[in-house]
Amino acid sequence: IAAYFVEIVVAIAIATALAWWFFGPEPRFAYAFLNAIAVLIIACPCAVGLATPISMTVAMGQGARAGILFRNAEAIERMRDIDTVVVDKTGTLTLGHPALTDFISEGIAENEALALVAGVEQLSEHPIALAIVEGAKARSLTPRPAGAFEAVNGLGVQADIDGKRMLVGSRGFLAQRGIDTQRWDARAEAWRTEAKTVVFFAVNNVAAGIAAVADPIKDSTVDAMMALKRSGMRIVMLTGDARRTAEAVARKLGIDETIAEVLPADKAGHVKRLQAEGRKVAMAGDGINDAPALAQADVGIAMGTGTDVAMETAGVTLVKGDLRGIARAAALSRATMNNIRQNLAFAFGYNALGIPLAAGVLYPVFGLLLSPVFAGAAMAMSSVSVVTNALRLNRVKL
C-alpha cells in the first residue's frame, strides 16, 4: 500500500484538476487548483504509516512495565497465535535452586560417600551438582579433590578421587557402563513419586548408592498454569528428568503432556515435531541447553533469572522469571493486533471518505467544497486519532 499510495493520490489529484478544469464553474482554474490541492493535503499517508508501529511501541512499553520484554514487533505479533506452550522444568517451573534431601550408600560410609560424590560434582556447573555440594557442606563435609574429570552432557559426570573411579549421574549413565543399579531402583522410584530427582553413583564400577534432590515449585507457577489453560493453550513439559519425577510435577500443576528423559540436544527436535503437527509453539526455558529449542519455537520465552544465552536467543524475556507473564504477553499481543486493525480502519476509512470529499463529489448535489485549510486540519486529526487509539493499550490489564 505504501508503495502505491503516493502515485494513487497524485493521480486522483490530477483527475480532480482536469474534471474541474473542463466541467467546473468559472473561474475554472481556481476551482481546479484549490480542489486538487485539497486532495493532496487531506490524503494522509502518515496515519497509514503510524497505524502499526505506534501500537507496537506502546505495547512494548506496556509489556516492559509488566516485566515482559519483547525483542521485536514480530514477537508481539506471533504471541497472538500461540496454542502450545512448552516449558522446561528446572529454573522455569521450579525455583532452580535444588537442595539435597536424601542420601544413602552401601559398602561405604555415608559421609565418606557423600564427600566423594561432592568431590566429583564440585567440578560441574549443573544445579543438581551444586545442590549435592551444598548438601555436603551443610553436613560439615569437605568435598574431596578430583582429577580426570569428564562430563557427559545430559547424563552424568565421572572423575578419579583417591584412586577410586567415581561415576555420578542418571541410572542410564551407569547402565551404559554395565553397572547394575537394581538394588536401588525401588527406593529411587519412591523418591521420584515425591517429585524428587534421583542421582546414582558408583565407586570403581560398582553401584554404591543414590541421592535425592528436590527443587521447589515457584509460588507463581500454579497460577501461571491455570492462566494458560484459561487462554486455551496446551501445556507441554520438556525435561531431562526421570519420567516418574516429571510426571509427579506434572500432576501437581495440571500439565497436559510430559516429555521426560530428554537430552539437551533433542529438545529442539521435540519442538519441531509439535510444529509439524500444525501447532504454534512457544518455548519457555532458562538454561544454555534450552537455547536451540528457544530458537526453534515460534516464540522463544526466556526467564530473566536464567542465562544470558537463553535471553539472547528468545523473542520474549520475563524479567522476574514469572510464568504468568506468558498469558499476559499473549493477552497483550491480541490487544495490540486488534488495536492495529482499528488504526488501519481509521486511516483507510479517513482517506476513503476524505479524498472524495476534497475532490468535490458533494458539490453537484449540495454545493459543498472542502477548503484546503480544513483539509489540513482533518489530515492532522487523522494522525491524532491513530496515536490516541494506540495509547489505549496502556489501559490493557495484564
Side-chain angles (χ1 to χ4, degrees), residues 229-314:
K229 284 182 172 293
R230 285 195 298 269
S231 299
M233 297 183 187
R234 180 175 178 80
I235 307 170
V236 179
M237 182 168 67
L238 190 62
T239 178
D241 283 3
R243 178 164 300 278
R244 294 295 293 273
T245 302
E247 288 175 346
V249 173
R251 282 194 298 271
K252 287 183 178 180
L253 299 176
I255 291 174
D256 299 301
E257 181 181 350
T258 301
I259 305 173
E261 300 175 357
V262 178
L263 295 177
D266 296 334
K267 288 188 175 182
H270 285 284
V271 172
K272 192 173 183 179
R273 175 183 60 79
L274 291 169
Q275 291 172 320
E277 296 174 359
R279 296 185 175 277
K280 298 296 183 182
V281 180
M283 168 70 190
D286 72 319
I288 295 174
N289 293 335
D290 299 320
L294 294 174
Q296 175 64 44
D298 295 283
V299 179
I301 302 174
M303 303 296 105
T305 52
T307 63
D308 291 341
V309 173
M311 287 185 280
E312 185 65 26
T313 306

Side-chain angles (χ1 to χ4, degrees), residues 133-186:
V133 173
E134 291 301 317
K137 292 179 178 178
R139 299 187 186 188
S140 301
L141 301 175
T142 302
R144 301 290 179 81
F149 177 82
E150 180 182 352
V152 179
N153 199 18
L155 291 175
V157 292
Q158 58 190 31
D160 293 332
I161 302 179
D162 297 339
K164 300 180 180 66
R165 186 61 173 169
M166 296 293 301
L167 299 171
V168 183
S170 67
R171 181 180 183 277
F173 180 59
L174 270 62
Q176 282 183 1
R177 288 151 178 77
I179 300 174
D180 183 13
T181 60
Q182 187 175 358
R183 163 72 177 79
W184 307 103
D185 287 348

Side-chain angles (χ1 to χ4, degrees), residues 23-37:
F23 306 107
E26 296 292 345
R28 294 183 179 182
F29 176 79
Y31 279 105
F33 181 78
L34 288 176
N35 288 322
I37 291 298

